[in-house]
């Protein structure tokens, strides 16, 4: 029996990788990325619907899934729930992906590349959405197709949720999951988004850091004033704001406000991170060890601690200098935070720290975007061990296990609202340039991802059948 299962598992993996070798994967992804489904671009709203109704819905129905289009007024586009329930007694998996992308930034791409026409170059596919996230859910869906071709059934129940507004902050996703909680019931949540730890290091991560943005502003007066007439007797809000920010973070990036950090890192999180190393790929910036919380490893800084950054600053007019003292200055700042930080306490704590430091004139405007909450599955959870073992069986070596991603995802909706253990298997890497020009997906990751997922799906079905 074990020989038969092994041969069939190998056949499923071979079938999945075959979709890459015979050109089917490339043809499909090329068609998907040609749809400019940018959820923050108003004129592309019809394309959000096109992706669901012309691509996702027919594909899932061809694979024997029942599909339901879900809508919420907050969301920029529709949601698709595809279900294949083979037996009520089987394990049920909930999967997730998003078909929306950020704006194309057409004029910023290198010569010969275009955001919505996929180009192969140096073993990579370049186009918007190849890495984030169309290419990633393409890997999963084609591995599902391979399993069905070999086994004739999944051997487990599968629900797949596709949203079209993740790049807009997943507006409406929480409401959809609240209203359709019963339909989304499952035993585990498995999804693919974000990057691996490194190009050649397959990875699973168990949650995400939270993220929130807010503004700091000083408005000293209504108008610009000539610097020769008033310099030295009028305050400069730009200088004042720069100093005020140092009450929150020091010159080396160490956060000074306790409520903005978790305070400590759990022991099993530290243990998991010992096997994870941030290794910049060619073209990536070098890690600056002097920056951030002292005493932490680079991995602990990114995956287990908070980071505070200025995203944009505005003071005066650099494009057209006025040689005048500006009347106001403002900065949009961002806090990425792990489990252990209460996001509702952050802005009050910032206001208090600024007031105590004597910067009463700084106006702290509370969060400017949707807040992603932090989440993290226990690295010792049985589902973590099972999925890591499946990947090791396929590749011959274990994946990196990150307690959480350094970035932010709507994972907390699935972990907290739906109460599911959450495991992400990313099919991208840190240098993919998602959200920038020249976004790309290495073909080597696609090949490895197809094998990983086909092996995992086989194992999930075998476990259920057993």
């Amino acid at each position: 029996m074990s020989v038969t299962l092994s041969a069939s598992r190998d056949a499923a993996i071979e079938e999945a990788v075959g979709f890459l070798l015979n050109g089917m994967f490339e043809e499909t992804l090329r068609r998907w990325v040609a749809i400019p489904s940018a959820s923050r671009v108003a004129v592309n709203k019809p394309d959000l619907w096109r992706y669901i109704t012309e691509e996702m819905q027919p594909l899932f129905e061809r694979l024997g899934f029942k599909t339901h289009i879900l809508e919420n007024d907050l969301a920029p586009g529709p949601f698709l729930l595809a279900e294949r329930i083979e037996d009520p007694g089987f394990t049920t998996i909930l999967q997730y992906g998003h078909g929306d992308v950020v704006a194309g930034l057409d004029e910023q791409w290198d010569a010969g590349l275009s955001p919505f026409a996929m180009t192969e170059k140096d073993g990579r596919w370049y186009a918007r959405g190849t890495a984030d996230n169309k290419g990633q859910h393409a890997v999963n869906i084609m591995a599902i197709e391979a399993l069905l071709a070999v086994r004739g059934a999944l051997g487990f129940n599968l629900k797949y949720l596709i949203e079209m507004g993740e790049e807009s902050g997943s507006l409406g996703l929480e409401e959809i999951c609240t209203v359709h909680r019963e339909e989304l019931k499952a035993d585990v949540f498995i999804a693919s988004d974000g990057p691996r730890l490194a190009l050649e290091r397959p990875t699973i991560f168990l949650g995400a850091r939270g993220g929130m943005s807010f503004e700091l502003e000083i408005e000293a007066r209504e108008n610009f004033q000539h610097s020769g007439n008033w310099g030295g007797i009028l305050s400069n809000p730009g200088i004042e704001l720069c100093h005020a920010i140092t009450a929150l973070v020091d010159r080396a990036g160490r956060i000074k406000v306790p409520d903005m950090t978790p305070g400590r890192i759990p022991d099993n999180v530290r243990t998991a991170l010992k096997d994870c190393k941030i290794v910049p790929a060619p073209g990536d910036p070098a890690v600056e060890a002097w920056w951030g919380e002292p005493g932490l490893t680079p991995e602990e800084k990114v995956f287990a601690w908070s980071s505070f950054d200025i995203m944009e600053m505005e003071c005066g007019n650099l494009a057209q200098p006025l040689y005048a003292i500006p009347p106001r200055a403002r900065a949009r700042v961002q806090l990425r935070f792990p489990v252990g930080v209460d996001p509702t306490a952050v802005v009050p704590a910032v206001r208090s720290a600024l007031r105590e430091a004597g910067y009463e004139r700084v106006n702290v405007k509370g969060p400017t975007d949707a807040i992603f909450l932090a989440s993290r599955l226990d690295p010792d959870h049985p589902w973590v061990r099972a999925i890591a073992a499946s990947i090791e069986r396929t590749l011959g070596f274990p994946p990196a296990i990150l307690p959480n991603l350094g970035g932010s995802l709507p994972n907390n909706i699935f972990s907290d609202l739906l109460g599911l253990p959450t495991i992400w298997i990313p099919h991208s890497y840190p240098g993919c340039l998602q959200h920038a020009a020249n976004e790309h997906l290495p073909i080597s990751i696609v090949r490895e991802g197809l094998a990983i997922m086909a092996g995992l799906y086989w194992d999930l079905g075998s476990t259920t059948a057993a």
Side-chain angles (χ1 to χ4, degrees), residues 87-416:
D87 187 315
F90 282 0
T91 298
T92 299
I93 313 297
L94 175 62
Q95 294 207 257
Y96 162 88
H98 67 89
D100 67 314
V101 297
V102 298
L105 307 176
D106 303 51
E107 69 286 350
Q108 297 180 26
W109 289 60
D110 288 351
L113 303 179
S114 176
F116 300 112
M118 196 166 83
T119 302
E120 183 177 339
K121 180 181 177 182
D122 300 327
R124 301 168 172 177
W125 284 322
Y126 286 82
R128 178 66 76 220
T130 50
D132 188 17
N133 173 256
K134 295 175 181 179
Q136 299 214 40
H137 57 259
V139 167
N140 294 351
I141 294 170
M142 290 203 179
I144 291 165
E145 183 163 3
L147 179 67
L148 290 171
V150 171
R151 179 181 267 160
L154 297 176
F156 56 91
N157 301 320
L158 180 58
K159 302 176 181 181
Y160 218 120
L161 181 66
I162 302 287
E163 77 157 311
M164 298 302 296
E166 195 270 351
E167 304 296 6
S168 296
S170 290
L171 296 172
L173 177 60
E174 182 174 356
E175 288 74 13
I176 285 289
C177 290
T178 299
V179 172
H180 299 280
R181 187 192 303 259
E182 285 298 313
E183 296 99 308
L184 295 170
K185 271 189 174 179
D187 295 295
V188 65
F189 171 88
I190 302 172
S192 299
D193 201 352
R196 297 172 163 198
L197 180 63
L199 174 63
E200 297 181 351
R201 187 75 197 274
T203 302
I204 63 177
F205 62 86
L206 316 179
R209 281 201 297 184
M212 61 185 297
S213 300
F214 53 95
E215 291 186 0
L216 308 175
E217 183 178 50
I218 295 176
E219 185 159 1
R221 57 195 65 88
E222 290 188 9
N223 300 310
F224 285 83
Q225 299 295 335
H226 191 282
S227 59
N229 298 336
W230 295 98
I233 59 174
L234 284 186
S235 65
N236 187 302
I239 294 173
E240 190 177 359
L241 184 58
C242 287
H243 281 276
I245 290 171
T246 66
L248 309 178
V249 61
D250 72 13
R251 66 177 302 276
R254 180 182 66 86
I255 296 171
K256 295 181 176 181
V257 182
D259 282 319
M260 295 168 68
T261 77
R264 62 176 295 274
I265 299 174
D267 291 341
N268 64 347
V269 171
R270 283 188 185 274
T271 299
L273 289 175
K274 287 180 181 178
D275 185 48
C276 302
K277 297 297 177 186
I278 296 174
V279 181
D284 287 345
V287 173
E288 295 178 309
W290 60 273
W291 184 265
E293 183 70 17
L296 301 186
T297 66
E299 295 75 29
E300 289 169 344
K301 291 176 183 178
V302 173
F303 303 117
W305 203 253
S306 300
S307 63
F308 179 76
D309 289 286
I310 298 171
M311 296 290 102
E312 295 87 20
M313 288 190 77
E314 185 178 83
C315 179
N317 190 335
L318 276 175
Q320 190 174 15
L322 300 176
Y323 301 96
I325 300 170
R328 64 187 62 84
R330 67 175 178 170
R332 189 175 73 90
V333 299
Q334 182 187 74
L335 181 71
R336 298 276 188 179
F337 56 92
V339 170
V341 175
D342 177 4
T344 65
V346 169
V347 168
V350 167
R351 289 183 178 133
S352 177
L354 291 171
R355 186 169 56 250
E356 290 174 7
Y359 298 106
E360 294 88 353
R361 294 213 302 174
V362 179
N363 180 23
V364 183
K365 297 183 176 180
T368 55
D369 297 308
I371 297 176
F372 283 108
L373 300 180
S375 56
R376 178 196 296 141
L377 180 63
D378 188 329
D380 298 323
H381 194 283
W383 271 109
V384 177
R385 293 196 296 269
I387 291 176
S390 172
I391 294 174
E392 183 172 4
R393 182 181 178 191
T394 298
L395 301 179
F397 57 90
I401 301 176
L402 289 176
N404 53 260
L405 186 69
S408 300
L409 290 166
N411 187 73
N412 67 288
I413 294 175
F414 304 106
S415 62
D416 299 344

